[in-house]
Amino acid sequence: MFANLEKVMGGTAEKLSNNKVLIAIRDGFLVTTPLIIVASFFILAGNFPIEGYTDFMAQFFGQGWENHMDAVIDSTFSVIALLGSIGIGYAYARQLESDPIAGAAISVVCFLILTPKSHPAFTNEAGKVFNGLANTNMGSAGMFVAMITAIVSVRIFVAIERKGWVIKMPDGVPPAVSQSFAALIPSLFAMLTFFLVYLGFSLTDYHYAHTFIYLYQPASTSLRDWT
């Protein structure tokens, strides 16, 4: 019985371990590991679990010193989906034997196409609407969107590339310029695909892919301190 179970589970585990998509997701997020570990030290430094620690440190660095740790924390944890998108795009393009840099670039651009950039619910006292990329959508809440976007966009990019629908430059052109033009048409197809996806969601009650996946309700929050 156990031998049969081991045979079935072993075969399944081997297939999963050789799956290019899973390998890309694993390797892509491993890129963020050292950044998360370093940022965790800053979280610990600002929230050390000892009574009186914050007040003691305030004697040297002033009141609210712990808020300065957010400069590092928000630059890692709050954009983890963006970092994951870059890493997965790079890793998946490498798995498919394409240009990893181009894969990372097209992945992050397609992710940003789907990411909300205006938030009517977020207004300041003057009633001005916030326009920009909110950390809410760039962090853990955007993780699945980033993963899906990275895999699909790179897959489209490589599929068009393998069809030979690329702009080929003469032999005398520098390799960097040649690679840039070769990526033009595949990038067009990938970006156009996600632009159509963006338009599709905009016609629904969800408005954005992020909302569709997480049922996130921005109307329940407010933003008061931005200008």
Side-chain angles (χ1 to χ4, degrees), residues 85-94 98-110 149-151 153-155 157-158 161 183 187 190:
S85 175
I86 297 171
I88 295 172
Y90 183 95
Y92 194 43
R94 184 176 59 190
S98 183
D99 183 6
I101 299 298
I106 195 62
S107 173
V108 70
V109 167
C110 289
T149 302
I151 296 300
S153 62
V154 171
R155 192 71 188 182
F157 181 93
V158 173
E161 186 180 52
S187 297

Side-chain angles (χ1 to χ4, degrees), residues 18-221:
N18 294 326
N19 186 279
K20 292 183 178 181
V21 172
L22 296 180
I23 292 174
I25 293 174
R26 180 200 65 191
D27 292 349
F29 279 117
L30 281 175
V31 173
T32 67
T33 301
L35 306 176
I36 292 174
I37 293 174
V38 172
S40 298
F41 289 129
F42 283 83
I43 294 178
L44 181 62
N47 302 273
F48 205 71
I50 295 180
E51 186 176 354
Y53 168 76
T54 302
D55 294 334
F56 175 76
M57 297 296 289
Q59 298 178 31
F60 302 97
F61 302 108
Q63 292 295 328
W65 66 272
E66 66 274 14
N67 295 330
H68 294 297
M69 300 296 173
D70 292 341
V72 176
I73 297 169
D74 288 343
S75 298
T76 48
F77 287 99
S78 295
V79 293
I80 195 66
L82 182 65
L83 296 174
S85 175
I86 297 171
I88 295 172
Y90 183 95
Y92 194 43
R94 184 176 59 190
Q95 287 290 319
L96 298 179
E97 299 181 353
S98 183
D99 183 6
I101 299 298
I106 195 62
S107 173
V108 70
V109 167
C110 289
F111 173 67
L112 294 177
I113 289 174
L114 295 183
T115 302
K117 299 173 186 65
S118 62
H119 306 264
F122 294 166
T123 59
N124 58 12
E125 289 79 359
K128 183 180 178 182
V129 175
F130 170 74
N131 287 283
L133 297 168
N135 283 348
T136 300
N137 301 311
M138 309 287 282
S140 58
M143 192 76 76
F144 279 104
V145 177
M147 290 167 55
I148 296 170
T149 302
I151 296 300
V152 175
S153 62
V154 171
R155 192 71 188 182
I156 294 172
F157 181 93
V158 173
I160 299 302
E161 186 180 52
R162 288 178 177 174
K163 284 182 177 292
W165 298 355
V166 297
I167 297 176
K168 296 182 179 180
M169 304 298 289
D171 294 336
V173 176
V177 177
S178 180
Q179 291 176 1
S180 177
F181 275 91
L184 196 154
I185 295 178
S187 297
L188 170 64
F189 274 84
M191 293 168 66
L192 181 59
T193 298
F194 280 92
F195 176 65
L196 294 176
V197 173
Y198 163 80
L199 290 179
F201 277 111
S202 69
L203 299 176
T204 68
D205 294 335
Y206 296 104
H207 299 295
Y208 299 103
H210 293 69
T211 312
F212 174 75
I213 292 179
Y214 287 97
L215 296 179
Y216 172 62
Q217 300 296 331
S220 63
T221 57

